[in-house]
Amino acid sequence: MPHPTPPSVLRRPQLWIGTGLIAAVVSMLFALLYVGGNVNPRGNLRDLPVALVNADAGADAGGRRVALGEQVVSGIEKAAEGDKSIDWQLVTREEADKRLGSGKVFGALVIPKDFSATVTALGAPQPPAQGKPAPPTITVLTNQSAGSIGSSMSSQAAQKAAHAASAQIGQELLKQAAAQKTPLPTAAQLKLADPVTVAVADGHPVGSRSAMGLSAFYYALVLVVCGMLGANLVNSQVDTALGYLHTDYGPVRKREPVQHTSRVRTLAVGIALMLGMSVIMGTLVEVATVAILDMDASHLGLLWVYSVATIAVVGIGGLALFAAFGTPGMLLATIVFIAMAVPSSGATVPLQALPGFFHGLAEFEPLRQITEGLRSILFYGAQADAGLTRAWTAMGIALVAALLFGFGITRLYDRRGLHRIPHPAADEAVVETPEQPAATEAPAPAKA
């Protein structure tokens, strides 16, 4: 039978159809998930948590009590009734700092204790010796550790609310000045029209070597990729050691004798090897990022345990998919751990700014849980309620699910006799021998 030539292989319709369908599905899926999740974050924004602090003590002005802080809060809450993009959480300053320090809010708007006093001082006549009154200030706090885009959205919303409050207060001050029938210079009128200074500060500072709060996400992505690559490596190496695959070293091809074993045992061998590889890979990831790249990190022992466990769980999940689906398992692992996980992680664009479909993915996709756990370790002092408990719980559930799924499917295959090489005779090496020339027939004896 003649050997196929490259042109003849390319003329096979099944080669083009099969490859084309896989390429089409992968490209369309990645485009829809990656771009679809991030294409319109402001239009999808719903209930972004932002703390609202009113520490204003009020002031006496013209024989009446003035509480301008309450007026600002009332204005913000009234405006929020028709705009559901921001979830304003009215809390104390201590509670705001706590939520900023655990990633529960993306920012805060703080009205200081002397707000009413400083505002009323602008409209009151000042003795020449006393000098200019201190300008009233509202502080906007950011929180890059919760995500730079979410922090930016929070800051913009808080600044907009503060400037709107300043304009409203300015109108009242101008009315009071007009009632006094005292002409004001143009500069003074402009000052009264927008009297409040809006200051922006970092509510929960992160280190300079933390990728502006994104180091937790990048570290988590490295762990997931290491787990996937580790599973792929372990799967191929185990198959090679058992004689199911050839190994090519340049022009040399080597194949070990086939060792017939069950699918369950094959998966068990792969998991044992993956556990060993996860220790090596997790250690080197931490060495590379912390020791060599000098990434800001604390709780290094916990970070090491978390890194090793994450790589192991992702790798075991990948091996379970390989054992159940074979070669397509790699494509499924890529879709589960990368294509659907990255846009639903909430690490770059907050979940509150993603379409509703991604909210459902975020409940079980591993990258979100892994990232939140790393944020807790790297930014929030390893607080349990800052995402670490949820991460460990999700990791445990994922491990149990992967083991049950992987061993359940492989045991089913074994019980039904669906072995990887059904007939041992097929494993025998075929030795090719040089072709022998055809025997020539002896000449017939001549007739007498």
Side-chain angles (χ1 to χ4, degrees):
M1 181 177 181
H3 295 287
T5 61
S8 65
V9 173
L10 289 174
R11 285 195 294 267
R12 295 178 180 176
Q14 60 269 29
L15 176 65
W16 288 92
I17 294 174
T19 307
L21 285 176
I22 295 174
V25 170
V26 171
S27 58
M28 178 67 74
L29 190 62
F30 268 77
L32 289 175
L33 290 172
Y34 270 55
V35 181
N38 305 317
V39 69
N40 187 20
R42 193 167 299 281
N44 295 318
L45 187 62
R46 293 293 183 275
D47 297 326
L48 187 75
V50 180
L52 179 58
V53 178
N54 179 22
D56 182 30
D60 293 323
R64 62 186 181 92
R65 189 67 178 171
V66 176
L68 294 178
E70 294 181 2
Q71 179 179 328
V72 172
V73 170
S74 177
I76 292 175
E77 292 178 340
K78 184 177 180 180
E81 293 177 358
D83 182 6
K84 301 299 182 181
S85 60
I86 303 296
D87 176 21
W88 295 101
Q89 302 178 2
L90 186 60
V91 295
T92 63
R93 178 59 192 267
E94 292 75 15
E95 180 63 22
D97 290 337
K98 182 180 179 180
R99 296 187 186 188
L100 286 167
S102 59
K104 298 294 177 39
V105 295
F106 288 88
L109 188 149
V110 180
I111 304 170
K113 184 177 180 180
D114 62 348
F115 183 69
S116 291
T118 54
V119 171
T120 55
L122 291 177
Q126 300 292 325
Q130 190 170 345
K132 295 182 179 179
T137 302
I138 292 179
T139 303
V140 173
L141 300 178
T142 60
N143 189 10
Q144 284 191 335
S145 64
S148 57
I149 294 181
S151 177
S152 175
M153 289 180 168
S154 166
S155 176
Q156 292 174 12
Q159 291 184 58
K160 180 180 178 181
H163 286 299
S166 177
Q168 180 64 33
I169 294 172
Q171 292 179 6
E172 296 181 4
L173 292 177
L174 288 175
K175 290 179 181 179
Q176 294 175 10
Q180 295 176 2
K181 298 181 180 180
T182 302
L184 292 175
T186 303
Q189 292 181 17
L190 293 175
K191 178 64 177 177
L192 288 180
D194 188 13
V196 179
T197 299
V198 180
V200 180
D202 198 339
H204 185 74
V206 294
S208 60
R209 302 188 67 84
S210 62
M212 299 178 68
L214 288 174
S215 58
F217 166 66
Y218 291 127
Y219 196 102
L221 190 58
V222 168
L223 296 181
V224 170
V225 171
C226 285
M228 287 183 54
L229 294 178
N232 188 33
L233 174 64
V234 166
N235 184 66
S236 62
Q237 290 299 311
V238 169
D239 281 353
T240 300
L242 294 177
Y244 293 123
L245 293 178
H246 291 91
T247 301
D248 292 325
Y249 299 98
V252 180
R253 169 168 286 192
K254 179 182 178 182
R255 180 174 180 178
E256 299 291 337
V258 176
Q259 301 179 34
H260 289 281
T261 186
S262 66
R263 293 177 182 269
V264 170
R265 291 180 180 177
T266 302
L267 178 59
V269 171
I271 289 176
L273 184 58
M274 187 68 231
L275 292 174
M277 293 301 100
S278 64
V279 174
I280 297 173
M281 299 174 81
T283 301
L284 293 179
V285 168
E286 183 167 341
V287 169
T289 54
V290 178
I292 298 178
L293 299 177
D294 194 26
M295 182 186 77
D296 292 323
S298 58
H299 304 278
L300 298 183
L302 177 60
L303 180 62
W304 177 80
V305 173
Y306 190 88
S307 302
V308 172
T310 300
I311 293 175
V313 172
V314 173
I316 292 172
L319 290 174
L321 292 174
F322 294 160
F325 301 104
T327 302
M330 180 184 296
L331 180 60
L332 290 175
T334 303
I335 293 174
V336 172
F337 292 114
I338 299 296
M340 295 192 302
V342 172
S344 63
S345 65
T348 52
V349 177
L351 291 178
Q352 293 81 1
L354 295 176
F357 169 73
F358 293 91
H359 295 183
L361 289 180
E363 293 300 321
F364 66 88
E365 275 295 336
L367 189 57
R368 180 203 172 192
Q369 332 302 333
I370 296 168
T371 302
E372 289 189 351
L374 282 169
R375 279 175 174 167
S376 176
I377 296 173
L378 297 178
F379 304 144
Y380 305 136
Q383 298 179 63
D385 63 345
L388 190 56
T389 298
R390 178 188 175 95
W392 282 120
T393 302
M395 204 178 297
I397 294 174
L399 177 60
V400 172
L403 292 174
L404 291 176
F405 176 74
F407 283 113
I409 292 294
T410 52
R411 182 173 177 79
L412 177 64
Y413 290 165
D414 287 337
R415 292 184 63 180
R416 293 190 175 184
L418 301 174
H419 304 297
R420 302 183 69 183
I421 300 182
H423 303 292
D427 301 333
E428 297 178 0
V430 177
V431 180
E432 297 182 359
T433 57
E435 295 183 0
Q436 300 293 332
T440 57
E441 295 182 0
K447 294 182 179 178

